[in-house]
Amino acid sequence: MSTTAADQATQKLPFQGIGALLNNVKGDRWIWLIVILLSVISLLAVYSSTGTLAYKRGQANEFILMKHLFMIVGGLALMYFSHLLDYRYYAGISKLLMVITIPLLLYTLLFGNHVNDASRWISIPGTGLTFQTSDLAKLALITYLARTLSRKQENIKDVKQSFIPIMGSVCVVFILIALANLSTALMLFGVSILLLIIGRISIKQISVVCAAGAILLLGVVFLGPRRTTYISRVHAFMHPETANPDKSFQSDHAKIAIATGGVFGKGPGNSTERNYLPHPYSDFIYATIIEEYGLLGGFALVAIYLFLLYRCIKIVTAAPKAFGALLACGLSFSLTIQAFANMAVAVGLGPVTGVPLPLVSMGGTSILFTSVAFGIILSVSRDIDEPKKVVVGEIREVAA
């Protein structure tokens, strides 16, 4: 039976829609591939490690997986739309983000949801979802610093016009995050210092920022509301033989997971330590991955993040504008430093923190804001690729 032309056109419509969508995908194709690969790894790892969580909640494991899949798809959509927006618009958006971020951080400290003596989340009315304001703060501070450093290059060493606004924004955001989430604050502070170095801030002024950060850090550790937690975690890491077993419980079971995983792992879904680790689907998902996929799986994940950093560095070096280079640099270093901090904690190279593995750990706002960060990096990459296509097209016209 032959089909009519109208039927054939109808059958092609879905494929035409997919083709049109793929044609609109711009930027570094390797980064797109890395994001998709990390998303697949995340689905496998989260599905395997949420059995105990599903049991405690009285839900099916598949329900949690579908919810996580929904967040990943939402993140990919945000990444797609944010990469279509010219990255120059993010300079203006950064000012609005900073105006919103600081009051939100204050509100979170005073009225946020308290979990493990930390107030990091606020509830989104009518959705049942929670929002971690530090995720927004990372994006806001990095975009604001990139904007400020790129626009004040002519008077970058001027204390009143350049240094005080930069130092003030870094220190205010640092202290507001550090009171509830010291690990995130330290990583963001480190990324900020890297941006200051790349943005040609003088060593003397950077030293002042570091000194101010050190004073704030000591104040948070010894006088802050979570001082006992911070001190006990550092003590458990430095002296595990004398530490309280409750404080070293997570790191001990993470080490057991890695040790029993061996070279090739126990196989997907065969982890046993996922039943003991408090957060095998978020903070210690890397230990779960090694237990199931072995050292080969662990090294493969490290290689993926290293390759991501390599592709981002290529974008930074090729960016024609200072703002684009600083923006891509800050966001890429933030993502990779967070990834390696999470993996370092899982293998016992650092004290226990609550830092998720970007695009792999289960989480709501973390996945969404990470996807937006990737989208902005791809927007910078798109700006690099499009002039090349124009030049190639002009060469072909001349040759014709």
Side-chain angles (χ1 to χ4, degrees):
M1 181 182 296
S2 60
T3 57
T4 63
D7 292 334
Q8 292 176 354
T10 302
Q11 294 173 0
K12 291 180 180 179
L13 281 177
F15 299 100
Q16 290 174 348
I18 295 173
L21 182 65
L22 293 176
N23 288 334
N24 289 328
V25 171
K26 309 295 182 181
D28 193 305
R29 298 300 174 93
W30 283 108
I31 293 182
W32 280 103
L33 180 61
I34 289 170
V35 169
I36 294 172
L37 184 58
L38 290 175
S39 299
V40 172
I41 293 172
S42 177
L43 289 172
L44 293 173
V46 167
Y47 181 64
S48 174
S49 58
T50 51
T52 303
L53 178 66
Y55 177 77
K56 290 179 179 178
R57 292 182 177 179
Q59 299 173 339
N61 202 4
E62 289 75 14
F63 176 80
I64 296 177
L65 176 66
M66 292 306 297
K67 186 177 179 181
H68 182 59
L69 176 62
F70 177 77
M71 298 305 300
I72 288 179
V73 173
L76 290 174
L78 283 176
M79 178 178 169
Y80 175 77
F81 288 113
S82 58
H83 105 286
L84 291 179
L85 182 65
D86 193 309
Y87 75 90
R88 296 174 185 87
Y89 287 106
Y90 292 106
I93 295 173
S94 67
K95 295 188 295 182
L96 177 62
L97 288 179
M98 285 298 293
V99 171
I100 295 173
T101 293
I102 293 177
L104 271 178
L105 289 173
L106 281 170
Y107 178 84
T108 305
L109 285 174
L110 298 175
F111 307 106
N113 299 335
H114 286 264
V115 179
N116 296 330
D117 298 325
S119 181
R120 304 177 184 175
W121 297 269
I122 56 176
S123 299
I124 303 176
T127 63
L129 300 175
T130 55
F131 167 57
Q132 190 164 347
T133 49
S134 61
D135 291 327
L136 175 63
K138 287 189 289 186
L139 188 64
L141 182 60
I142 291 172
T143 53
Y144 178 77
L145 284 179
R147 173 188 179 274
T148 305
L149 289 170
S150 61
R151 294 195 173 189
K152 297 184 179 294
Q153 282 298 303
E154 293 183 359
N155 54 355
I156 196 65
K157 299 185 186 300
D158 187 282
V159 174
K160 185 176 180 180
Q161 294 186 18
S162 301
F163 178 65
I164 291 179
I166 291 172
M167 179 179 175
S169 60
V170 172
C171 291
V172 168
V173 173
F174 172 77
I175 190 65
L176 290 177
I177 297 177
L179 289 171
N181 192 348
L182 183 59
S183 55
T184 298
L186 285 173
M187 285 186 288
L188 184 57
F189 187 82
V191 172
S192 301
I193 295 300
L194 286 174
L195 282 178
L196 297 186
I197 294 172
I198 297 172
R200 299 195 306 115
I201 295 290
S202 68
I203 299 298
K204 181 180 179 180
Q205 292 177 339
I206 292 175
S207 300
V208 173
V209 177
C210 291
I215 294 172
L216 293 175
L217 174 62
L218 291 174
V220 169
V221 171
F222 293 105
L223 302 175
R226 303 193 70 207
R227 56 187 179 275
T228 55
T229 301
Y230 296 146
I231 294 173
S232 63
R233 285 182 176 180
V234 173
H235 176 75
F237 172 69
M238 299 296 294
H239 307 285
E241 67 282 354
T242 61
N244 187 331
D246 293 337
K247 299 299 180 181
S248 61
F249 181 84
Q250 297 181 77
S251 57
D252 289 342
H253 280 278
K255 293 173 184 176
I256 293 172
I258 293 170
T260 56
V263 178
F264 301 102
K266 297 178 179 179
N270 293 325
S271 169
T272 55
E273 292 304 312
R274 63 186 175 184
N275 299 317
Y276 301 97
L277 282 167
H279 301 285
Y281 44 82
S282 56
D283 298 351
F284 286 91
I285 197 168
Y286 186 63
T288 306
I289 291 173
I290 294 179
E291 184 180 8
E292 294 188 348
Y293 298 94
L295 291 177
L296 292 180
F299 282 130
L301 197 55
V302 170
I304 291 173
Y305 283 110
L306 285 175
F307 186 63
L308 169 65
L309 181 60
Y310 166 73
R311 296 305 305 179
C312 291
I313 289 175
K314 289 200 68 174
I315 294 172
V316 172
T317 55
K321 301 292 184 179
F323 174 66
L326 290 168
L327 189 60
C329 178
L331 293 174
S332 59
F333 273 109
S334 175
L335 292 171
T336 50
I337 288 174
Q338 178 179 327
F340 284 105
N342 175 280
M343 292 186 286
V345 170
V347 300
L349 295 179
V352 174
T353 63
V355 177
L357 192 58
L359 284 186
V360 177
S361 294
M362 187 178 78
T365 54
S366 174
I367 292 176
L368 298 180
F369 280 103
T370 299
S371 300
V372 171
F374 273 112
I376 297 174
I377 294 171
L378 286 168
S379 178
V380 179
S381 174
R382 189 190 67 167
D383 186 68
I384 298 169
D385 292 339
E386 287 180 351
K388 293 180 180 178
K389 293 179 180 179
V390 172
V391 171
V392 171
E394 292 176 351
I395 293 174
R396 287 177 179 175
E397 289 180 2
V398 172

